[in-house]
Amino acid sequence: MNEPVARMPPRALALPFDPLLLLATLGLMVASLIVLAAATADDIPGQPHYYVNRQATFFTLGLILMAVISRFDYTRLRELKYGIYGVAIVLIVAVAAFGGVTKGSRRAIQLPFFEVQTSEVVKVLLVVVLAAVVVDRARDLASRQTTARIMLLALIPTALVMLQPDLGSALVYVVTAVAILFVAGVPWYRLAVLGFVGVAAISFVLAIGPAIGVNVLQKYQVERLTAFLHPTDNPGDEGYQQNQSRIAVGAGQRTGRGELSSQTRLNFLPEHHTDFIFAVVGERWGFVGSAIVLTLYALLLWRGLRILTISKNLYGALIAGGIVAMILFQLFVNVGMNIGIMPITGIPLPLLSYGGSSVLTTLIAIGLLQSIYAQGRAAAATKGRVLTM
Amino acid sequence: MVDPVTDRRPPITPQLALRVAIFGGVALVLFAVIFFRLWYLQVLSGDSYLAEANNNRVRELRIQAPRGEIVDRNGRVLVTNRRAIVVTIEPSTLPDSEREMAATWGQEAGQRAAKPKGKRGEPVPIPPIDNGELEQRYARLARVLGTSADAIHRDVIQQLAQVPYADVRLKTDVPRSVLNYISERKKKFPGVRVEEVYLRRYPQGQLAAQLVGTVGEISPEQLRKKRYRDLKQGTIIGQDGLELEYDSYLRGKDGMRRIQVDALGNPKGALKEQDPTAGRTVRLSLDLNLQATAQKALGNIGAGRPGSAVALNPKTGEVLAMASYPSFDPSVFTKPMTQAQYDRLTSDETGAPIFNRTIGAQYPTGSTFKIVTALAALQTGVRGADEVINDTGVFELGPQKFKNAGDAVNGAISLRQAMEVSSDVYFYQLGAKLNGLRGQVLQTWAKKLGFGHRTGIDLPGETKGLIPDRQWRKDLAAKEKSCRKKEKIPISADVYTAAAEGCGISDMRPWSAGDNVNLSVGQGDLQATPLQLAVAYSTLANGGKRIKPHLGMEVDDSQGRQLQRIQSAGSTRVKFDPANQQAILDGLKLAAEGPNGTSTDVFKDWPNDKYPIYGKTGTAERQPKADQSWYAAYVPSETKPIVVVATVEEGGFGADTAAPIVRQILSKYFFNKAGEVVRGSDTSN
């Protein structure tokens, strides 16, 4: 096994990559383009391919970004953690300063061809930063201070995006922070306390607060969050979207309605290129189509967890854990709201939903996973050589 | 600096392995939840969601079928259609409070209307709009329609009180620009519909107004009826008159347009279209020229007093004219009606123009009834046709004295002269004699000739009339008795004051010969419609064939080609001796042309050789009102026989009012011109 190539320090381009992860990624991209083409053909008169073309552009940029990131050693990011954190905070604050208002929220910075939804990018930046801080305190994991510091670091951007307001991203930040602590091995009782505080906070925000006159969330946000519990009460407002989405998914039946997908094509299904794209899959391709898409996600997440275990160091494992949690949480909340078991939170479906910020963020994250894989394989190869020596 | 300790690849500790396993387990559970839910939505309940999705996108619009026309025997149009753009509002889109207000107001207004006139007091006021949002809705609509929110509110309350289920018509005949404006802003005008509909049009104005009837939206009760099994809510059907009677031909079949709409309700292409089928034309036996003459003669000669005239073919039962005075313009029914309009149509003060007196009013018929008495007497052999009696001017029945009208003394007369001069004494005797026979012979013959039951004409709302007899009096007395028991009024033995002291149903005296004497000359308690009298004269003229009068003659397509004949419901055979028939007809002929005939001067200059008149005057007493004028005539003809009956309430002597009306109708019928008014001078009953 003494191949000459292995003696040399591995060159970046020769690094291995995870073919199954790449397969899942490309599969979801293709699915996204197919679904968008079907869903948005009638949306902009005269431009049936508007959304498909733009999404394809985002994918191309994202793939390049992913490939580049996968060739670098993610471990270098540890040193840059405070710088990255600063950038993240600046990005969120910049939206407040320069952002344009869409549908009552200030969430994105308008560029000539592109809106940057910075809260998306912060999702992956935060994973990199939090994982680094945990690694720094690896010897002191069980202490309350570690947990507190991580949560504090996560809650600052969380609070800032909630002001936009962007409740979905805020939830993603908190969930990834907890997942990183979990994977790092923070003791169960600390996690239990975190869980308790979380439940208390949610009940305060949704029920107790409004009752005593303290409104953390806007009234519409509370309504959106609770509408899924009683969707037919006010089918004109919050319940309407959820109702139409459920009808669309249900009407797809086993194999889908194909060209007859009236819920999508006649606009009964709102936001069918972004938040409710999964319902389009459900209506047009039925249970079979939904199962295929979900299988691609399962493959992606499985590879994520697998990469977690082969990481060459704790930092990589924590980043992988954070990314898997980030994608899994977004997937479940988004699909859940499409099929009427989760509230409407405005969380996109990673890779499938139309949107440059979300696409680039997810592909950066997957690039990091590939990097962890590549570094892990390379390290194992080196060690293997040492061991056999 | 990178920490060399942590930079080394850590071995997978058991703790990490456990946590990764838990992580994977959580992911597995979440996927399982999603899959179960998808299975439930798409496989288990897919059918119902698919139905909901289709329900979302498909709207069904009814395309109203034009109703068939109603034309007279010559094809002259009596009822047709016109297109109109109407604005309606659906009651189901109104707040409950508005509908409740309508129900409450309707109840109060109904209670007020039930009170006798003069005691009603002020009209029940309509409460103001109690809903700010609704007021804005009304105001927005009012600006487009050029009216006010209050006016819309008033319309809604009044119409909902009358017909709670039907769309409220806010305006008829709006310009097309309103249709476009509202159609493009449906969201701003919830529940408001602007559509082009067919409304009935009556080019003949007041002609035959009481016959045509009305159309209207099918009611929930009607929807449950077998007859309307295939109809959908909102269908326009005939609600009265000929529209109701021949609804199945006139109605046609509404079409259906299924269109696909998007989430905003914008149409996105038609899915399926079923064209409406226009209704059939119904051709009546009515001759509108004759009808016009009849209505005009009634109005002119009757001088504004209510009356009726009917002309029919005695052989076939085809009704040629059916007039009732006063009349009205049926187009008032094509728009929502105000209470004042409704009152004008129905109140006694205006003569209730909507009332079809020919089939709905019942009166004693006076001497025109004498043909019945004559036939009964001749058929039973109570008296021979040529048997001569001495008319002394008075008929004594115990203590009661019955006199001829005008105290006339006619001397020695037989049946023919008795008919000619309309001797009452002759018939009084018969009435008394017939009363002595077993089995109420006079009543039986009255029934055979068509009195006391419906003629069966193809119009709703016909009344039965009344042939007074022994049992009828008994029943009335029993009713009076039970009423007095309930009201605790003593059952007095004094027959003359009993009626005034009691409930007023009956004086409780039993049937007497005097009752039959009154009946013999068509006075007293007899109640008959003008149409029944016409049927009786037709039966005599036909030698016993009692026809069912009818208006509907055939069903045509829109080009006027006959599709099917409307079968008249047949006739009934009444048996009597042709010699007896001839004797009575002779008497009728003498009455119209004999030297002493009661209507001879009315038919002065009439070509009796060509069109002999067999006519009888009648003057019915209707205390406390003035006498009612009657005339019934039969004119035989190979090709166009006719029976005409006319009556004018409080019109005085038969020869003075009713006979001249009949003459004009006959003149129009045979010579196509009504001619001058010729009044007779006879003053008999």
Side-chain angles (χ1 to χ4, degrees):
Chain A
M1 292 201 166
N2 292 338
E3 300 97 332
V5 180
R7 278 175 211 278
M8 307 287 288
R11 285 169 57 91
L13 285 178
L15 283 171
F17 59 91
D18 185 343
L20 286 176
L21 179 60
L22 186 64
L23 180 73
T25 310
L26 293 175
L28 285 169
M29 287 177 177
V30 172
S32 173
L33 294 176
I34 293 173
V35 176
L36 276 176
T40 63
D42 308 323
D43 280 7
I44 298 180
Q47 285 178 271
H49 305 303
Y50 177 82
Y51 289 108
V52 182
N53 289 343
R54 287 179 65 96
Q55 183 84 334
T57 313
F58 300 147
F59 281 153
T60 312
L61 287 174
L63 279 174
I64 295 168
L65 209 53
M66 179 186 89
V68 170
I69 290 172
S70 71
R71 301 301 88 181
F72 279 96
D73 186 354
Y74 63 92
T75 314
R76 293 186 200 166
L77 296 171
R78 252 188 83 192
E79 303 161 59
L80 304 173
K81 58 179 182 283
Y82 292 115
I84 295 172
Y85 191 73
V87 168
I89 299 296
V90 168
L91 280 175
I92 295 174
V93 174
V95 169
F98 310 111
V101 177
T102 5
K103 293 176 192 168
S105 316
R106 194 181 290 272
R107 287 185 185 173
I109 297 174
Q110 310 273 359
L111 295 181
F113 304 101
F114 184 55
E115 279 185 357
V116 186
Q117 214 167 327
T118 56
S119 59
E120 288 292 329
V121 187
V122 173
K123 285 174 187 170
V124 71
L125 297 184
L126 202 59
V127 170
V128 171
V129 173
L130 295 183
V133 176
V134 170
V135 173
D136 286 347
R137 301 183 60 89
R139 295 201 177 87
D140 204 11
L141 267 182
S143 78
R144 199 181 60 196
Q145 218 192 344
T146 306
T147 307
R149 185 173 293 190
I150 295 296
M151 290 316 291
L152 184 69
L153 281 174
L155 284 175
I156 291 171
T158 300
L160 287 174
V161 292
M162 273 179 67
L163 291 176
Q164 289 187 358
D166 182 355
L167 188 63
S169 299
L171 286 172
V172 174
Y173 300 166
V174 173
V175 167
T176 40
V178 172
I180 288 169
L181 287 175
F182 174 78
V183 174
V186 167
W188 286 106
Y189 63 86
R190 294 239 176 276
L191 296 173
V193 169
L194 268 186
F196 176 77
V197 171
V199 169
I202 289 170
S203 22
F204 180 81
V205 165
L206 290 186
I208 303 166
I212 59 170
V214 181
N215 287 310
V216 181
L217 295 178
Q218 307 285 333
K219 192 162 173 286
Y220 85 94
Q221 287 179 307
V222 176
E223 279 170 5
R224 270 172 60 171
L225 287 176
T226 52
F228 82 106
L229 297 173
H230 38 78
T232 46
D233 270 13
N234 48 358
D237 308 323
E238 289 352 285
Y240 174 83
Q241 299 190 342
Q242 201 124 37
N243 219 10
Q244 295 303 339
S245 169
R246 232 181 13 195
I247 291 171
V249 172
Q253 297 186 299
R254 284 180 175 79
T255 52
R257 304 176 72 193
E259 285 297 309
L260 295 174
S261 300
S262 59
Q263 287 289 102
T264 306
R265 306 198 65 167
L266 298 174
N267 267 326
F268 288 101
L269 186 62
E271 305 291 332
H272 48 239
H273 59 304
T274 55
D275 289 0
F276 287 97
I277 196 163
F278 187 77
V280 177
V281 178
E283 183 178 29
R284 206 178 165 97
W285 290 278
F287 185 77
V288 173
S290 311
I292 290 172
V293 168
L294 287 172
T295 306
L296 289 171
Y297 278 110
L299 181 64
L300 188 133
L301 292 169
W302 169 57
R303 288 319 295 170
L305 285 177
R306 179 86 190 104
I307 288 168
L308 191 166
T309 62
I310 63 168
S311 166
K312 70 175 179 182
N313 52 21
L314 180 62
Y315 187 46
L318 292 183
I319 292 178
I323 288 172
V324 169
M326 173 184 109
I327 294 175
L328 176 65
F329 180 74
Q330 297 191 82
L331 168 76
F332 182 72
V333 173
N334 179 280
V335 172
M337 94 185 175
N338 273 264
I339 58 182
I341 55 173
M342 284 301 246
I344 298 177
T345 39
I347 291 179
L349 188 55
L351 288 184
L352 221 64
S353 286
Y354 169 81
S357 305
S358 168
V359 162
L360 292 179
T361 303
T362 310
L363 287 174
I364 290 170
I366 293 171
L368 283 172
L369 286 180
Q370 290 285 17
S371 169
I372 298 166
Y373 176 87
Q375 298 300 325
R377 282 281 174 228
T382 316
K383 277 179 187 163
R385 182 173 58 94
V386 170
L387 280 175
T388 53
M389 216 160 45
Chain B
M1 248 326 266
V2 175
D3 185 338
V5 181
T6 48
D7 195 34
R8 266 211 320 268
R9 176 186 156 77
I12 296 189
T13 60
Q15 192 204 27
L16 182 60
L18 175 67
R19 296 224 165 172
V20 170
I22 291 173
F23 207 155
V26 168
L28 214 59
V29 169
L30 295 183
F31 270 86
V33 168
I34 290 174
F35 268 102
F36 275 120
R37 176 70 177 176
L38 277 176
W39 182 262
Y40 167 78
L41 286 180
Q42 299 189 299
V43 178
L44 300 184
S45 343
D47 289 338
S48 71
Y49 283 113
L50 185 59
E52 266 192 73
N54 282 329
N55 198 24
N56 256 346
R57 78 189 169 104
V58 178
R59 294 277 178 285
E60 286 192 347
L61 298 177
R62 196 178 52 244
I63 313 172
Q64 192 191 2
R67 264 179 99 74
E69 294 185 333
I70 302 178
V71 302
D72 85 340
R73 63 187 305 124
N74 303 314
R76 257 180 82 185
V77 177
L78 183 59
V79 184
T80 179
N81 301 306
R82 68 187 184 90
R83 300 283 265 164
I85 301 177
V86 299
V87 181
T88 56
I89 190 161
E90 274 176 73
S92 62
T93 63
L94 295 171
D96 290 342
S97 63
E98 185 82 346
R99 284 186 285 176
E100 278 157 21
M101 190 190 287
T104 316
W105 181 83
Q107 238 167 26
E108 286 168 12
Q111 281 162 5
R112 176 179 172 272
K115 286 182 197 160
K117 199 135 195 179
K119 291 184 183 173
R120 287 179 191 168
E122 292 297 301
V124 184
I126 293 176
I129 312 172
D130 62 356
N131 180 320
E133 195 253 342
L134 184 67
E135 187 160 15
Q136 280 177 10
R137 254 169 84 182
Y138 283 169
R140 212 177 305 140
L141 189 56
R143 272 196 295 281
V144 182
L145 300 182
T147 160
S148 71
D150 285 335
I152 291 179
H153 174 66
R154 236 184 356 257
D155 281 347
V156 169
I157 296 291
Q158 283 179 346
Q159 291 183 44
L160 279 188
Q162 283 171 26
V163 205
Y165 56 87
D167 287 355
V168 174
R169 179 99 61 87
L170 298 177
K171 202 158 183 194
T172 311
D173 291 319
V174 296
R176 188 163 292 275
S177 58
V178 170
L179 184 144
N180 295 338
Y181 185 87
I182 294 182
S183 305
E184 283 158 15
R185 296 164 181 80
K186 276 194 192 124
K187 282 259 148 85
K188 288 182 84 178
F189 300 99
V192 176
R193 260 213 301 262
V194 191
E195 49 192 357
E196 207 163 9
V197 296
Y198 290 103
L199 297 181
R200 281 311 221 182
R201 191 166 73 83
Y202 305 93
Q204 310 294 343
Q206 300 201 348
L207 273 197
Q210 296 91 353
L211 311 186
V212 294
T214 54
V215 296
E217 202 170 300
I218 191 165
S219 74
E221 293 77 40
Q222 287 168 328
L223 269 174
R224 283 194 286 275
K225 283 190 182 158
K226 212 172 159 192
R227 174 178 179 185
Y228 300 118
R229 209 175 22 206
D230 300 331
L231 299 189
K232 290 213 170 79
Q233 199 193 325
T235 310
I236 302 294
I237 61 168
Q239 298 285 12
D240 201 1
L242 290 165
E243 298 272 20
L244 171 61
E245 195 73 27
Y246 291 110
D247 185 55
S248 56
Y249 301 121
L250 293 168
R251 192 195 308 135
K253 196 170 183 317
D254 285 348
M256 181 70 75
R257 183 180 295 143
R258 285 161 59 90
I259 58 165
Q260 176 160 285
V261 294
D262 69 7
L264 298 174
N266 300 319
K268 291 279 173 184
L271 295 175
K272 207 168 90 184
E273 194 154 326
Q274 196 179 9
D275 288 332
T277 316
R280 306 286 190 211
T281 298
V282 168
R283 187 182 288 257
L284 304 179
S285 56
L286 224 53
D287 178 341
L288 284 181
N289 291 321
L290 197 62
Q291 177 78 20
T293 304
Q295 287 190 216
K296 214 167 143 197
L298 260 185
N300 289 344
I301 303 173
R305 289 161 293 191
S308 152
V310 57
L312 50 78
N313 180 326
K315 298 272 184 252
T316 60
E318 287 174 4
V319 175
L320 302 164
M322 184 181 277
S324 183
Y325 186 89
S327 190
F328 66 101
D329 186 344
S331 63
V332 295
F333 284 105
T334 60
K335 294 184 184 185
M337 211 183 286
T338 63
Q339 187 64 39
Q341 279 176 318
Y342 184 76
D343 287 345
R344 265 202 297 286
L345 283 180
T346 55
S347 76
D348 287 341
E349 288 78 32
T350 57
I354 198 175
F355 184 38
N356 185 355
R357 292 184 152 74
T358 312
I359 61 166
Q362 29 188 25
Y363 317 105
T365 65
S367 297
T368 55
F369 189 77
K370 284 174 180 167
I371 61 161
V372 182
T373 313
L375 192 59
L378 294 178
Q379 281 299 113
T380 50
V382 168
R383 184 176 284 170
D386 300 316
E387 205 174 307
V388 178
I389 63 131
N390 184 22
D391 175 357
T392 59
V394 185
F395 170 68
E396 291 182 29
L397 183 73
Q400 281 177 278
K401 284 187 178 160
F402 296 85
K403 291 182 178 172
N404 273 338
D407 294 330
V409 179
N410 296 310
I413 49 170
S414 69
L415 177 71
R416 287 175 173 85
Q417 288 86 49
M419 295 285 284
E420 180 183 1
V421 302
S422 200
S423 158
D424 288 336
V425 169
Y426 183 94
F427 288 94
Y428 290 152
Q429 291 175 358
L430 293 181
K433 281 188 177 180
L434 288 168
N435 194 52
L437 297 183
R438 279 178 60 83
Q440 305 220 311
V441 180
L442 184 53
Q443 284 76 3
T444 308
W445 277 98
K447 199 171 173 196
K448 281 185 181 175
L449 290 179
F451 293 96
H453 52 92
R454 296 188 178 92
T455 65
I457 189 171
D458 45 0
L459 278 178
E462 196 186 4
T463 54
K464 281 204 288 201
L466 172 74
I467 310 170
D469 64 5
R470 203 176 298 270
Q471 189 59 43
W472 167 74
R473 265 218 181 285
K474 222 188 239 174
D475 291 345
L476 273 193
K479 260 190 211 157
E480 172 81 19
K481 211 169 162 182
S482 71
C483 167
R484 286 194 200 183
K485 243 181 214 163
K486 219 163 79 185
E487 304 283 323
K488 300 205 168 60
I489 303 170
I491 297 169
S492 161
D494 184 350
V495 292
Y496 297 104
T497 59
E501 288 169 6
C503 293
I505 299 169
S506 159
D507 51 14
M508 299 213 291
R509 66 181 173 79
W511 180 260
S512 68
D515 285 321
N516 225 39
V517 169
N518 268 330
L519 177 60
S520 69
V521 295
Q523 306 285 8
D525 299 307
L526 173 72
Q527 299 272 291
T529 67
L531 186 63
Q532 282 174 331
L533 193 64
V535 168
Y537 274 75
S538 301
T539 311
L540 180 74
N542 280 341
K545 182 182 153 196
R546 193 180 78 218
I547 41 85
K548 249 184 202 173
H550 60 92
L551 284 157
M553 204 164 65
E554 60 184 54
V555 179
D556 296 351
D557 66 13
S558 56
Q559 264 71 51
R561 287 181 296 250
Q562 181 184 321
L563 296 172
Q564 83 184 82
R565 275 202 79 77
I566 295 171
Q567 293 296 322
S568 101
S571 54
T572 313
R573 194 82 224 166
V574 182
K575 272 191 194 149
F576 48 76
D577 187 341
N580 294 338
Q581 176 206 16
Q582 196 52 54
I584 298 168
L585 285 177
D586 288 349
L588 289 174
K589 190 156 183 263
L590 282 173
E593 62 179 57
N596 301 313
T598 52
S599 55
T600 301
D601 49 358
V602 177
F603 290 96
K604 184 176 64 187
D605 305 330
W606 181 267
N608 278 311
D609 46 337
K610 206 167 169 211
Y611 298 114
I613 310 277
Y614 296 75
K616 185 76 200 78
T617 51
T619 308
E621 292 169 16
R622 289 180 73 203
Q623 302 291 349
K625 290 186 176 179
D627 290 349
Q628 177 153 347
S629 172
W630 282 92
Y631 196 77
Y634 160 57
V635 180
S637 155
E638 248 340 284
T639 51
K640 42 192 304 188
I642 187 170
V643 164
V644 182
V645 167
T647 185
V648 175
E649 292 176 20
E650 308 194 50
F653 296 106
D656 183 46
T657 319
I661 294 170
V662 172
R663 180 181 167 136
Q664 286 209 323
I665 295 172
L666 289 174
S667 175
K668 177 75 184 173
Y669 184 62
F670 289 111
F671 312 116
N672 200 26
K673 59 170 192 269
E676 287 180 16
V677 179
V678 187
R679 289 183 190 268
S681 56
D682 179 80
T683 55
S684 67
N685 277 342

